[in-house]
Amino acid sequence: MTITVDKRKFLIPCILLVAGTALFGAISPVGRGGAEVEDRTPGDSVAAVPRVVFEEALAELVNDSLNVVVDRDGALHPFLEKLTALREGKSGVVNILHIGDSHVQAGFWDDRMREHFFRDFGNAGRGLILPHRLTGTNEPRDYYIRTGVGYEGHRTTSNQSGGKLGFTGTGVVFTGGAPDVEIWHKGGFDAVTVHHHPAAPFLAPPDSLLLDMQCAMGDTQYSTTYYLGRTVDTLRMEALFAPADYVPLYYGFTLHGGPSGVMYHAVGANSAAFEHFERQTTIPDGGAAAVLPDLIIVSLGTNNCFGRNYRSGALRLVVERFFGAMAENYPGIPVLVTTPRESCNLSGGRRVPNPNIEDAVAVIRESAQEAGFAYWDLYNAAGGRGIAETWYGMKLSGRDRIHLTESGYRLVGDMLYDALIKYYNSYISVPEDIRARVNVLRPGSAPVRDPYDSFRRYSRLLAAGDLYRISRDLI
């Protein structure tokens, strides 16, 4: 008896398998023993994004073959697809939330990332601004938040219960009368979202600045958005009325700009470690979903590495618990973990490399991979062991060899963006139809319902000036 085999049955699965292998190989360039990122011709209709050009002296500090994003499960694919849509001219806002310690709070690292994303993908606004000064700590230089009434400030590193904190890790309670704030941002904004306690009185701009029509579409019990009739750089907001269970607690503000592009939010806290932000992931509804993140970047670990009591196993438990909380409370949101760079301890009056950093970096990398997250190994990309003294000699690091100068943080921002762009360019070099098929097979790629679709739709209509359609849809 002759058996006839229809070879076509095996053709499509084989094509998908080969394409999937090629795709994941291209976008996960670090293999078992190092990597080189290959320049490839971009596919379909999207042009490659130019890579970062480093100054000659700074380029020598960057290990280009290790300055890569490792994403073996394709966790960042949905984020890359949304960036691709922006490059194709489609409308929409792609939100990035960067959480971390003092390296992020300083504002230089995220500001550099903003510059790059705005140039290549469009500017949708400044994003989050936090009342750091009101909580007794330093604020980035491009904005301020002031008030003329009494208040109490709270932050994640000093508030163990987390009861007066939102996802921002900050909270301001007004104690000296009706709440009012003044906000300034050097780049200007045309809408503002107030992040607040559910029982907080509404902080509102003056009527003369509001559009004629204000809708609650997209507002939640933890956030209220106001659309302004023009772009401003300074805005004063006052409480309109107080509910019966008055709780004048506010967590921060989001400043909006253009209708399309990237919005880069940063939540940094001096001295923060993984355990501080673990508490912030569990805040229901007032959590990170308030900024609709399409990507969460986690830059923690430096403060977990100091002291003679450091234990690798203890750090692993803390990191795995935090990553588990992230996965549980923000399901379906891509996460990129960055490792600490080398820092130093003071020993015998001399600065010496912190002996715990290398182990901590390995723990963070391994834990990120086990959680299905992508990671970027800044420690090795920046030169590895012994490089802190070189960075200090080039005025990229402060005297403590822990914190960086503005130039140092800008270099780190350049490095991370370049790693992301190498990844992005490799990703779009794969034809769109193959990407779509492989992404369907990607682990954990089940669709997640977007509860903010009406808000995004309203924003698009508002940007187009189509108030008639908004009114009609609400009738």
Side-chain angles (χ1 to χ4, degrees), residues 53-77:
V53 178
F54 296 94
E55 296 179 21
E56 185 175 352
L58 299 181
E60 296 178 1
L61 298 175
V62 182
N63 187 331
D64 189 62
S65 66
L66 296 181
N67 188 40
V68 293
V69 169
V70 181
D71 185 15
R72 302 188 182 186
D73 291 333
L76 303 193
H77 289 193

Side-chain angles (χ1 to χ4, degrees), residues 341-344 351 388-389 392 397-403:
R341 55 175 292 282
E342 185 184 63
S343 57
C344 293
R351 298 288 177 180
E389 198 63 38
Y392 175 68
S397 174
R399 293 179 62 186
D400 61 6
R401 276 72 157 182
I402 300 173
H403 299 92

Side-chain angles (χ1 to χ4, degrees), residues 26-98:
I27 63 179
S28 301
V30 173
R32 292 168 180 78
E36 297 223 355
V37 178
E38 173 184 350
D39 288 331
R40 305 183 61 180
T41 304
D44 301 331
S45 60
V46 185
V49 176
R51 290 185 53 188
V52 174
V53 178
F54 296 94
E55 296 179 21
E56 185 175 352
L58 299 181
E60 296 178 1
L61 298 175
V62 182
N63 187 331
D64 189 62
S65 66
L66 296 181
N67 188 40
V68 293
V69 169
V70 181
D71 185 15
R72 302 188 182 186
D73 291 333
L76 303 193
H77 289 193
F79 168 68
L80 299 179
E81 285 293 338
K82 290 174 181 178
L83 289 183
T84 301
L86 291 180
R87 293 283 287 180
E88 291 174 337
K90 297 176 182 176
S91 63
V93 175
V94 175
N95 286 281
I96 301 170
L97 175 61
H98 191 170

Side-chain angles (χ1 to χ4, degrees), residues 270-453:
N270 293 344
S271 303
F274 279 102
E275 50 267 33
H276 294 112
F277 276 97
E278 181 189 355
R279 293 195 295 269
Q280 306 313 113
T281 66
T282 59
I283 299 173
D285 300 327
V291 294
L292 320 176
D294 299 296
L295 172 67
I296 298 177
I297 302 175
V298 178
S299 297
L300 293 165
T302 298
N303 294 305
N304 292 89
C305 297
F306 289 98
R308 289 177 293 181
N309 294 327
Y310 173 84
R311 296 291 184 273
S312 180
L315 175 64
R316 187 178 295 275
L317 287 175
V318 170
V319 173
E320 289 179 352
R321 194 170 63 231
F322 173 75
F323 287 167
M326 291 284 293
E328 179 181 355
N329 291 288
Y330 307 129
I333 297 179
V335 176
L336 172 62
V337 178
T338 78
T339 73
R341 55 175 292 282
E342 185 184 63
S343 57
C344 293
N345 289 335
L346 185 62
S347 176
R350 297 175 54 247
R351 298 288 177 180
V352 297
N354 184 341
N356 303 325
I357 289 288
E358 282 183 281
D359 180 76
V361 167
V363 168
I364 291 169
R365 283 198 319 253
E366 292 163 10
S367 299
Q369 190 165 312
E370 290 169 5
F373 298 162
Y375 70 81
W376 175 59
D377 186 350
L378 171 60
Y379 177 83
N380 287 297
R385 186 171 179 80
I387 202 64
E389 198 63 38
T390 302
W391 279 54
Y392 175 68
M394 298 181 67
K395 299 183 179 180
L396 299 171
S397 174
R399 293 179 62 186
D400 61 6
R401 276 72 157 182
I402 300 173
H403 299 92
L404 303 181
T405 62
E406 180 176 352
S407 297
Y409 285 121
R410 289 173 68 84
L411 175 57
V412 171
D414 286 342
M415 290 175 64
L416 175 54
Y417 190 76
D418 191 52
L420 281 168
I421 289 308
K422 284 191 286 188
Y423 183 16
Y424 174 80
N425 287 341
S426 292
Y427 180 78
I428 62 172
S429 70
V430 177
E432 183 178 355
D433 59 331
I434 299 298
R435 296 201 309 264
R437 293 177 187 178
V438 172
N439 283 336
V440 169
L441 303 176
R442 182 178 59 82
S445 60
V448 177
R449 180 177 175 272
D450 181 4
Y452 295 93
D453 182 66

